Amino acid sequence: MSKPILKVEKLTKRYPNGVLALQNVSFSVMPGEFLVIIGLSGSGKSTLLKSLNHLVEPTSGQILFGDKDITRSSTKDARETRQQMAMIFQQFNLIPRHTVLQNALTGRLGKTGTLKSIFGRFSKKDISDAYSFLELVGIRDKANIRADQLSGGQQQRVAIARALMQNPSVLLADEPVASLDPATCHVVMDYLKKVNRELGITVICNLHFLSLVRQYADRVIALKQGQIVFEGSPDQISAEWFRRIYGEDAREVEVE
Amino acid sequence: MNKHHIQRYVFDAFNFSIIFAILFYGIFTHSSESLPDLKKSLLVLSGGLVLGTFLSYWGNKKGRRTLGETLFSSAEDTAVATDHSLLRSLWGFQLIVSFLVLLVAAGRQTEFSLIELLNKDGIASAANLFHELASPDWGLLPVAIVKVIETIFIAFLATVFALPVAFILSFFAAKNIMRGPTAFGVYGVLRTSLNVVRSVEPIIWAIIFAVWVGVGPFAGMLALMIQSIASLTKQYSEIIEGVSEGPIEGIVSTGANPIQTVWFGVVPQVILPFISFTIYRWDINVRMATIIGFAGGGGIGTILYQYSMRSQWNQVGCLIVVIAFVVWVLDILSAYIREALK
Ligand SMILES: Nc1ncnc2c1ncn2[C@@H]1O[C@H](COP(=O)(O)OP(=O)(O)OP(=O)(O)O)[C@@H](O)[C@H]1O
Ligand SMILES: [Mg+2]
């Protein structure tokens, strides 16, 4: 058995306002895995992902990335970590007024000098890579269109291309399909799966719909009030587990 | 004693003390030249304060609401409505007396005089002035045009120089960028100094720079530049404070450094409103440049001042027409550009 790419030990996060968003969360992620995190709104899913790439500073605990302890990093090391763990968001978080190509290129900011990037002088290789990643997510023909003129699903694919530009080993996806319609939802999830299978990038993805979880996840972690209450394969989530995770009155909805 | 009682006493006390002081001086001093004896004034004022507090206490105790009580009492207290008419209630009486006393005092201070206003000779000379203004001396037109162009360029240069400075400063004056204790300190100092600069009228800056670099367009430009830096920085930074977090988070997540984050996450969101505010500032600066000319800032304002001091109203008329035309055109132009940028 190979070594985990990420090992999280007793991770705890208390926000300055006193909210305890994560309590003693421990788990490991294997290279190439498609891990899905589920849980009610407010259970701490976003906090968990953002702690991994230092968008949120954990209060205590430990995060091992490969062999490296990245729990307490200097700002420079944190930037290095972020480059290797790309992230996509529910609201896509693109630059609305920039073109699709320019947005994809921002994935290389970490490897581009400040002045060069300000004057938009990305290398030839950066540009050809950007085109090929846009091709991979099927949106190359939109390269010169402004990002805010695309549909939600298309924007999320641009965000995936931007993430891939970072040549990451891990892709964090924070509810990537929560603001998309069911059909588009599958398109985006299929691209994530493709990235996972074809490029061997480890994916950690927060999701809401169990039907999606069954379809895409290799393994599932369920959070409830900042604690892990379930860990296992998707088909182990019985009706009983479902009620335990989502509460007694919850009913499962399907995404076709 | 709750909060509204304190507010009531303070208000009533000051109200009475001001009425008292005005009446005292209105009655006992006749020449407006004689300077008030500070010690005596203080005595009168504090006497008024004591009397006011007492009246406030006594009036409200007797169930006659004072003005302070009416202003500051909360909804529940007001529920016990008084059925006195405005004139018969204490607070109505207090309101009317305060207003009349202030009106009379203000009239005295501004030397308001119907006799002067309706003076026959005065009306005649004003009519003459308007008559001359209405028949502008077009011979001055070439000079006026040269000078108004000078004014436009003073405003233009002031805006252009202010722009990059304000652009950079604005990020340091934006709360959402300046996080952390050190950064917040810089933010506080910058905001405070900008407010100080902004509170000094550009005409004062013009006087300062006229002394510094000599009377002329350069002094005017510097004065407007200082004013523009302060105003634009404030406006820019408020735009920055309103940007959405999403794109910033997106850029940070790529591993970008802080400068790249600002450039890619913030700047694209603010650039159009920045341009719009800058054009508007140029528009304002043209109008201000005219006024600044009065204080030795060069441009059309300076000759306007000279001609009006010499009572050459035909020439002044010509200048006013030119100024009005330029301001009108720029106003339309800048509104048009700003609309197109939306
Ligand atoms: N910046 C913050 N400051 C203070 N409290 C926060 C902050 N961000 C999140 N929280 C709180 O932490 C808890 C976990 O939030 P988190 O966003 O991680 O949940 P989530 O599972 O991602 O929920 P959702 O499905 O709504 O996105 C919530 O109670 C939330 O209110
Ligand atoms: Mg969330």
Side-chain angles (χ1 to χ4, degrees):
Chain A
M1 224 180 98
S2 62
K3 270 179 51 181
I5 185 166
L6 257 175
K7 203 163 149 58
V8 176
E9 293 276 6
K10 297 201 168 157
L11 194 68
T12 297
K13 172 63 188 179
R14 188 186 283 280
Y15 281 108
N17 64 0
V19 174
L20 193 56
L22 294 175
Q23 295 181 57
N24 282 326
V25 171
S26 305
F27 63 95
S28 300
V29 188
M30 288 300 168
E33 207 174 10
F34 199 114
L35 175 69
V36 167
I37 298 168
I38 57 172
L40 280 176
S41 194
S43 57
K45 303 182 299 294
S46 300
T47 306
L48 178 56
L49 285 199
K50 289 176 185 176
S51 307
L52 298 178
N53 70 346
H54 289 284
L55 288 183
V56 160
E57 289 305 320
T59 309
S60 66
Q62 196 184 36
I63 306 167
L64 289 174
F65 184 33
D67 297 323
K68 225 167 101 196
D69 184 348
I70 57 160
T71 326
R72 311 248 167 272
S73 303
S74 65
T75 48
K76 195 162 172 294
D77 288 340
R79 292 208 290 272
E80 183 63 36
T81 305
R82 286 185 200 128
Q83 283 179 46
Q84 291 167 32
M85 282 193 225
M87 187 159 186
I88 62 174
F89 304 83
Q90 179 178 347
Q91 296 305 330
F92 326 125
N93 291 356
L94 301 176
I95 309 167
R97 292 188 163 275
H98 281 195
T99 65
V100 165
L101 181 68
Q102 286 172 316
N103 267 289
L105 283 169
T106 57
R108 285 281 154 87
L109 285 179
K111 295 185 182 71
T112 312
T114 306
L115 276 181
K116 263 196 173 159
S117 58
I118 282 179
F119 290 110
R121 303 198 58 82
F122 290 94
S123 71
K124 280 225 174 65
K125 170 144 194 326
D126 289 343
I127 293 167
S128 69
D129 284 355
Y131 275 115
S132 53
F133 285 127
L134 287 174
E135 173 99 62
L136 186 95
V137 292
I139 204 155
R140 188 192 167 122
D141 56 324
K142 299 267 193 295
N144 292 314
I145 291 177
R146 260 170 59 162
D148 53 1
Q149 313 210 317
L150 300 182
S151 71
Q154 291 169 328
Q155 290 194 39
Q156 194 61 292
R157 279 142 69 190
V158 177
I160 295 174
R162 169 172 79 184
L164 294 178
M165 284 292 281
Q166 296 175 224
N167 294 324
S169 46
V170 176
L171 179 61
L172 309 173
D174 191 8
E175 297 188 26
V177 293
S179 46
L180 302 178
D181 63 70
T184 323
C185 191
H186 279 289
V187 175
V188 169
M189 286 308 294
D190 284 338
Y191 279 116
L192 282 183
K193 195 77 188 169
K194 182 174 169 185
V195 164
N196 175 245
R197 286 289 120 91
E198 289 178 14
L199 306 178
I201 295 173
T202 310
V203 175
I204 306 178
C205 181
N206 290 348
L207 281 180
H208 259 313
F209 290 110
L210 266 187
S211 55
L212 287 177
V213 176
R214 295 211 181 89
Q215 207 171 335
Y216 294 97
D218 294 334
R219 200 157 60 90
V220 182
I221 285 176
L223 283 180
K224 190 175 184 179
Q225 291 168 1
Q227 286 173 307
I228 293 186
V229 291
F230 173 88
E231 191 174 352
S233 75
D235 41 272
Q236 283 175 308
I237 307 179
S238 59
E240 200 207 324
W241 270 114
F242 181 78
R243 277 198 301 279
R244 236 183 259 178
I245 297 165
Y246 287 101
E248 290 299 330
D249 303 327
R251 284 234 311 274
E252 194 179 339
V253 273
E254 288 280 324
V255 176
E256 296 310 324
Chain B
M1 200 160 80
N2 53 30
K3 191 176 159 215
H4 98 258
H5 285 132
I6 300 174
Q7 289 173 318
R8 177 184 85 192
Y9 282 129
V10 171
F11 181 87
D12 285 333
F14 275 98
N15 186 229
F16 276 110
S17 119
I18 286 167
I19 295 176
F20 198 52
I22 289 174
L23 286 176
F24 191 82
Y25 280 105
I27 293 163
F28 295 110
T29 55
H30 298 283
S31 134
S32 57
E33 257 78 73
S34 80
L35 289 169
D37 172 358
L38 278 181
K39 247 187 214 156
K40 207 170 80 186
S41 316
L42 211 64
L43 214 68
V44 172
L45 277 174
S46 37
L49 281 174
V50 173
L51 193 67
T53 317
F54 174 73
L55 278 173
S56 180
Y57 172 77
W58 181 75
N60 288 307
K61 194 168 172 193
K62 292 267 162 192
R64 313 296 295 267
R65 296 153 65 84
T66 58
L67 192 54
E69 172 72 13
T70 310
L71 280 177
F72 293 110
S73 62
S74 55
E76 307 101 74
D77 305 323
T78 325
V80 205
T82 42
D83 47 352
H84 296 297
S85 76
L86 182 69
L87 262 176
R88 287 190 46 217
S89 64
L90 180 56
W91 70 267
F93 187 67
Q94 195 183 345
L95 182 68
I96 290 167
V97 168
S98 309
F99 183 68
L100 287 179
V101 167
L102 285 175
L103 204 64
V104 171
R108 283 178 62 104
Q109 283 290 320
T110 48
E111 297 169 21
F112 187 90
S113 154
L114 278 182
I115 298 164
E116 293 274 343
L117 194 63
L118 297 178
N119 178 298
K120 237 186 193 159
D121 294 343
I123 290 181
S125 44
N128 183 41
L129 190 155
F130 278 114
H131 184 75
E132 285 188 28
L133 278 182
S135 51
D137 172 8
W138 296 117
L140 196 64
L141 200 57
V143 182
I145 289 173
V146 168
K147 284 293 176 181
V148 86
I149 289 175
E150 189 176 300
T151 296
I152 293 173
F153 277 123
I154 290 172
F156 178 72
L157 210 59
T159 317
V160 167
F161 284 163
L163 195 153
V165 182
F167 179 82
I168 292 170
L169 285 183
S170 63
F171 291 95
F172 295 94
K175 225 186 270 163
N176 55 341
I177 306 280
M178 302 303 278
R179 285 184 183 139
T182 349
F184 198 75
V186 174
Y187 161 87
V189 171
L190 189 59
R191 274 271 159 142
T192 315
S193 15
L194 286 174
N195 284 338
V196 171
V197 172
R198 247 161 16 95
S199 63
V200 177
E201 285 294 320
I203 195 148
I204 309 285
W205 287 114
I207 294 169
I208 295 171
F209 284 113
V211 171
W212 189 341
V213 300
V215 170
F218 187 46
M221 194 281 285
L222 289 175
L224 283 181
M225 188 187 77
I226 294 286
Q227 172 76 12
S228 301
I229 289 175
S231 300
L232 281 179
T233 305
K234 178 144 193 292
Q235 285 169 333
Y236 287 174
S237 62
E238 268 155 21
I239 297 167
I240 294 174
E241 283 172 1
V243 298
S244 52
E245 285 290 318
I248 301 174
E249 194 177 37
I251 295 296
V252 170
S253 78
T254 66
N257 66 34
I259 295 175
Q260 290 171 325
T261 305
V262 168
W263 184 258
F264 287 91
V266 182
V267 172
Q269 295 191 60
V270 299
I271 199 77
L272 284 189
F274 273 26
I275 294 175
S276 173
F277 270 109
T278 312
I279 292 172
Y280 187 47
R281 178 55 47 185
W282 179 40
D283 184 4
I284 293 172
N285 278 347
V286 171
R287 274 173 278 158
M288 275 197 193
T290 312
I291 304 299
I292 273 179
F294 278 62
I300 200 163
T302 303
I303 58 169
L304 180 64
Y305 180 70
Q306 288 160 357
Y307 282 110
S308 53
M309 279 295 122
R310 280 184 254 139
S311 303
Q312 292 174 310
W313 303 117
N314 301 107
Q315 283 77 0
V316 169
C318 173
L319 296 178
I320 288 179
V321 169
V322 170
I323 292 171
F325 178 75
V326 166
V327 167
W328 176 67
V329 168
L330 276 183
D331 197 49
I332 291 177
L333 203 71
S334 99
Y336 178 77
I337 298 175
R338 281 180 288 133
E339 191 56 40
L341 282 176
K342 278 215 180 106

